Amino acid sequence: MNESLPSSDDQPNGASSHPWKDRIGLATVAACLIIATAAWYLLKEFAPLLRPLLLAVFLVYIILPIHRRLTRRIPAVASIVVLAGASVGLLVLLALQMVGSAAELKEDMPRFIERTQEIIHGAETYYTEHLPPWLAGEASEVARGQHLSVSRLREVVATLAGAATDTLSEMFLVAIYLIFLLMEAGGAPQRIQSAFRGDRADRILAVVANINDAMAGYLRVKIKASLLLAVPATIVLWACGVKFALMWGTLTFLLNFIPYLGSVIACSGPILLAFVQMDSIGTPILVTVLLVTIHTLSAYLIEPAMTGKAVGLSPLIILVALSFWGLCWGLTGMLLAVPLTVMLKIVLENIAFTQPFARLMAER
């Protein structure tokens, strides 16, 4: 009986190609990791350059409609100078106000820390006298943890002051970028049409138009919603005598651009300060009730009615974007996280190969 070796035709289908497929898959994963690492490194290294540029880009989305209406009455160059100067002047004033408030808060921190420690010590004494021994021991452990947290408040305030100072220095770069972006905005479509021919130019212009519409709509509605939240919150803090009411109002406006986490920080900060600052308990409780009511109405009634599903991103994607940009660029990155992710989603939607990834990023 003749016995023959099994030929390649007798092997299972695709068995001979599996090593090549595995190598291609590993090479793809390695390339993605290399690209992600390089992107992370470049974003971190070029942060002083890219942060002001992106801030200027998003300011252009807000200013450009006003610029187009203003050019009907005055020359375009004069309109650019007026709007850029007014925008940057307002940002500089806000940054100066934040720097001054942060410096004053830093000076008052020893008194606030002493007051906080007195409150914690009083609570610890109450736990020891009125709670069962096993529960009092647990409460004492919590109180000791609170003492450690209080000791870090000075570092938090110093970080806030440093962030305000950095923002003030970046405003000058934002001003330069803003002027040139406003000058170039009108001629961008003609440049794209001259650089790319036929359908390719039309596709690029369509993507740019979708990004412009999404960014302009999101920023316009978000600014209105943030103002409707920040103005009453500032009035409540000022009327109740909470220090640095304007600083907290500015932070409330800015932090409202950070989904989920922003409102928690903007609400808890002035409430804690009210309890530390005031000797009576009635006013801090009133501040707590009013601020929580304002933030709740804004989060669940006013803002959803205004924005609807303008963002169109999955909550998980938003949290991932906040984590990524927050680790990369700090508070500025968290402020820019949602607009940048919306921009990325629109670009992915207009490329056939990446359309499934865009659908994965969508809310539904």
Side-chain angles (χ1 to χ4, degrees):
M1 177 190 252
N2 293 330
E3 294 183 0
S4 61
L5 295 173
S7 63
S8 60
D9 295 337
D10 297 330
Q11 296 179 3
N13 292 333
S16 60
S17 62
H18 284 176
W20 291 104
K21 291 182 178 180
D22 293 341
R23 291 176 185 176
I24 293 174
L26 290 174
T28 303
V29 172
C32 291
L33 290 175
I34 293 172
I35 292 172
T37 304
W40 176 266
Y41 175 78
L42 293 175
L43 287 173
K44 295 284 285 185
E45 289 297 316
F46 290 97
L49 175 68
L50 294 176
R51 278 199 309 257
L53 177 60
L54 290 174
L55 287 172
V57 168
F58 292 125
L59 281 176
V60 167
Y61 283 114
I62 301 169
I63 295 173
L64 200 56
I66 305 173
H67 168 64
R68 289 169 179 167
R69 289 195 294 266
L70 196 58
T71 50
R72 300 171 186 171
R73 300 183 179 181
I74 62 175
V77 176
S79 173
I80 290 172
V81 173
V82 170
L83 291 176
S87 302
V88 175
L90 178 61
L91 291 174
V92 169
L93 287 177
L94 290 176
L96 286 173
Q97 184 268 329
M98 293 288 291
V99 170
S101 297
E104 186 178 353
L105 180 60
K106 188 176 180 180
E107 293 179 359
D108 292 341
M109 275 314 293
R111 182 169 59 85
F112 291 153
I113 290 175
E114 183 179 356
R115 170 65 177 161
T116 304
Q117 290 175 341
E118 289 177 359
I119 294 174
I120 295 173
H121 181 70
E124 189 176 2
T125 302
Y126 178 84
Y127 296 151
T128 305
E129 294 177 353
H130 295 84
L131 293 179
W134 62 272
L135 190 56
E138 296 293 332
S140 298
E141 291 293 332
V142 174
R144 278 191 286 272
Q146 295 300 321
H147 279 292
L148 294 176
S149 299
V150 169
S151 64
R152 297 191 182 97
L153 286 177
R154 197 187 304 272
E155 299 176 5
V156 174
V157 175
T159 302
L160 178 62
T165 305
D166 293 340
T167 302
L168 179 61
S169 63
E170 284 187 355
M171 288 304 105
F172 298 101
L173 279 177
V174 171
I176 296 172
Y177 286 136
L178 186 60
I179 292 173
F180 282 96
L181 286 173
L182 287 173
M183 293 175 62
E184 295 290 332
Q190 290 78 12
R191 292 191 177 188
I192 292 175
Q193 288 176 343
S194 63
F196 303 94
R197 298 297 179 183
D199 296 338
R200 192 175 182 185
D202 294 336
R203 287 198 300 271
I204 294 174
L205 289 174
V207 174
V208 173
N210 290 335
I211 293 174
N212 291 341
D213 292 340
M215 290 297 100
Y218 169 75
L219 291 173
R220 181 172 59 250
V221 173
K222 195 66 178 179
I223 287 173
K224 292 179 181 178
S226 299
L227 283 174
L228 289 176
L229 172 64
V231 170
T234 305
I235 293 173
V236 166
L237 294 173
W238 174 78
C240 293
V242 180
K243 298 190 70 173
F244 318 113
L246 186 57
M247 181 191 75
W248 292 120
T250 305
L251 286 175
T252 300
F253 175 83
L254 294 175
L255 291 173
N256 194 48
F257 284 82
I258 302 176
Y260 311 124
L261 302 177
S263 294
V264 175
I265 300 172
C267 189
S268 59
I271 289 174
L272 291 175
L273 181 61
F275 277 99
V276 172
Q277 173 191 338
M278 301 174 184
D279 295 331
S280 63
I281 197 70
T283 303
I285 291 177
L286 177 62
V287 170
T288 302
V289 172
L290 292 176
L291 284 185
V292 170
T293 302
I294 291 171
H295 280 267
T296 303
L297 289 175
S298 175
Y300 293 99
L301 183 62
I302 297 175
E303 192 161 339
M306 295 178 65
T307 60
K309 295 183 179 179
V311 177
L313 292 173
S314 166
L316 178 61
I317 295 298
I318 292 176
L319 289 176
V320 171
L322 288 174
S323 302
F324 175 82
W325 290 107
L327 288 172
C328 188
W329 288 350
L331 180 61
T332 304
M334 296 182 76
L335 292 173
L336 298 174
V338 173
L340 289 174
T341 309
V342 171
M343 188 180 298
L344 175 63
K345 177 175 174 287
I346 294 173
V347 172
L348 295 179
E349 285 174 343
N350 288 271
I351 301 174
F353 176 73
T354 58
Q355 285 178 355
F357 298 101
R359 286 193 288 269
L360 289 174
M361 296 173 63
E363 188 173 5
R364 286 186 180 178

